[in-house]
Amino acid sequence: MTLLIVGATGTLGRQVARRAIDEGYKVRCLVRSNKKAAFLREWGAELVRGDLCYPQTLEAALAGVTAVIDASTSRPTDSLTIKQVDWDGKVALIQAAKAANVERFIFFSILDAEKYPKVPLMEIKRCTELFLAESGLNYTVLRLAGFMQGLIGQYGIPILENQPVWVTGASSPVAYMDTQDIAKFAIRALSVPETQNQAFPVVGTRAWSAEEIINICERLSGKDARVTRMPIGLLRSVQSLLRFFQWGWNVADRLAFTEVLASGRPLNAPMDEVYTVFGLDKQQTATVETYLQEYFSRIMKKLKELDYEKTKNKKQKDKKTPFKQSSKVNSQ
């Protein structure tokens, strides 16, 4: 089976690629830059230049492909809008996959997308699910809540560096999941017939509020967080203002997602039946506590090593300094 993985250089996509390669699949990755994707080639993947926003590049990439796993999404640094990448690009990919007679299509959506029609990314995800279901492809939709990897930049690093931790409104508890565990579900779906033409929640072991995450980070780092609350009303005002400028549309669409995170409604779903269908063991799924503990253990160890080296170098420098001064006095 040959897999085409789209978005393989991203936080989730690289874990999907790694898992597929480790399980013996022939992996092809659609990439915009061979240089940035060099690590995928080193892992054993085939790289094919292409871009969702240029449909003419997709036909060659899909030649001989058995299944597509789409982990792509627009990034904050992209000049393109969410609509251009997450809607126009996905529609082009699904149509091209259908034309290429691809046997399976795995799509990552967002949990509860149908509950937020005014949030652009959520509405686009909902519409893409419908478009995929009506395409005639054999598909599986995995509805995610949040990545544990994102907790490091949002909470871990700011707390370690004594920088503000931004929290909005009534923080919605989120069932974060390690992208390595999400990758397990994506690859397993390829070999489990019961997952065809179905949508499943794929979320962590429990939902965590921002305050709970901050408490864990404080305990593990030994530092106090500088929590700054951003009023949701202010964010809405900024979002409305940005709508007046074309260059601000992408930022405005992303700010709209704060409505989800500040709604107070948990992003979570029961997973027992999902584990049964996929034949995976829930006990092997990483928890937020263990994930953050491993991160802080590594970083605190590294900081101690750097502090030790700094102290050692300072002592050596202090030993040399008196000698130099003494030599200078004697010469005079």
Side-chain angles (χ1 to χ4, degrees):
M1 180 181 286
T2 299
L3 307 183
L4 177 67
I5 299 177
V6 185
T9 58
T11 304
L12 174 58
R14 66 181 60 203
Q15 296 300 340
V16 173
R18 177 82 267 179
R19 185 79 186 183
I21 292 168
D22 288 346
E23 292 197 14
Y25 287 95
K26 183 179 179 182
V27 174
R28 181 184 298 170
C29 299
L30 183 73
V31 299
R32 290 183 291 179
S33 167
N34 285 340
K35 184 178 180 180
K36 292 181 179 179
F39 68 95
L40 294 168
R41 182 185 284 116
E42 293 174 2
W43 289 354
E46 174 192 359
L47 303 185
V48 178
R49 289 287 298 274
D51 192 319
L52 293 182
C53 296
Y54 295 91
Q56 66 273 19
T57 66
L58 300 178
E59 183 178 352
L62 287 161
V65 166
T66 314
V68 172
I69 301 180
D70 177 21
S72 63
T73 189
S74 61
R75 300 178 181 180
T77 54
D78 285 345
S79 59
L80 300 173
T81 65
I82 289 175
K83 179 183 179 298
Q84 287 174 300
V85 178
D86 288 86
W87 174 248
D88 297 338
K90 298 307 175 77
V91 167
L93 178 62
I94 291 168
Q95 291 174 330
K98 177 63 177 176
N101 296 315
V102 169
E103 295 177 14
R104 291 294 302 278
F105 195 106
I106 311 297
F107 174 65
F108 293 105
S109 188
I110 303 177
L111 193 69
D112 294 342
E114 72 283 356
K115 296 180 181 178
Y116 299 91
K118 294 183 179 180
V119 177
L121 182 59
M122 298 294 261
E123 179 63 5
I124 284 172
K125 288 291 188 181
R126 184 189 71 83
C127 291
T128 306
E129 285 190 33
L130 292 174
F131 187 83
L132 180 58
E134 295 171 358
S135 69
L137 287 166
N138 289 321
Y139 68 91
T140 302
V141 174
L142 304 180
R143 294 170 176 161
L144 315 180
F147 301 159
M148 289 184 189
Q149 281 71 12
L151 299 176
I152 304 305
Q154 187 175 359
Y155 300 103
I157 294 175
I159 290 174
L160 283 170
E161 296 183 349
N162 196 33
Q163 297 297 317
V165 176
W166 295 90
V167 178
T168 57
S171 169
S172 300
V174 178
Y176 298 99
M177 196 176 214
D178 190 333
T179 53
Q180 292 185 27
D181 289 321
I182 297 172
K184 293 178 185 178
F185 283 91
I187 302 304
R188 183 60 64 91
L190 297 170
S191 58
V192 179
E194 291 79 9
T195 65
Q196 289 192 30
N197 302 328
Q198 299 290 331
F200 300 90
V202 176
V203 299
T205 54
R206 60 157 285 196
W208 294 82
S209 68
E211 291 75 16
E212 289 175 315
I213 299 294
I214 290 170
N215 289 338
I216 293 178
C217 292
E218 287 181 323
R219 175 168 53 83
L220 294 174
S221 67
K223 294 176 177 280
D224 293 330
R226 291 174 53 197
V227 179
T228 301
R229 293 194 173 274
M230 176 67 75
I232 188 66
L234 176 59
L235 287 173
R236 287 171 181 158
S237 298
V238 173
Q239 180 190 346
S240 298
L241 178 63
L242 289 170
R243 291 285 183 198
F244 286 102
F245 307 97
Q246 185 173 351
W247 54 262
W249 291 350
N250 201 16
V251 178
D253 285 345
R254 292 188 173 279
L255 282 177
F257 198 79
T258 57
E259 296 285 350
V260 179
L261 301 177
S263 68
R265 291 188 289 189
L267 269 178
N268 197 8
M271 283 286 293
D272 289 343
E273 185 177 342
V274 180
Y275 278 101
T276 300
V277 172
F278 282 77
L280 294 172
D281 185 0
K282 184 177 181 179
Q283 299 303 316
Q284 294 181 1
T285 299
T287 65
V288 164
E289 300 105 315
T290 57
Y291 180 84
L292 289 175
Q293 188 170 25
E294 288 176 5
Y295 168 76
F296 279 105
S297 293
R298 291 195 306 270
I299 201 71
M300 297 307 286
K301 180 181 178 181
K302 186 65 176 177
L303 288 173
K304 287 179 180 178
E305 290 174 353
L306 290 172
D307 187 58
Y308 170 78
E309 288 297 325
K310 185 178 179 181
T311 303
K312 181 181 176 182
N313 292 336
K314 186 177 184 300
K315 287 181 179 179
Q316 291 176 342
K317 184 178 180 180
D318 290 342
K319 287 180 180 179
K320 294 178 180 179
T321 302
F323 175 76
K324 290 181 179 179
Q325 291 177 340
S326 176
S327 299
K328 186 175 181 181
V329 171
N330 291 336
S331 66
Q332 293 174 344

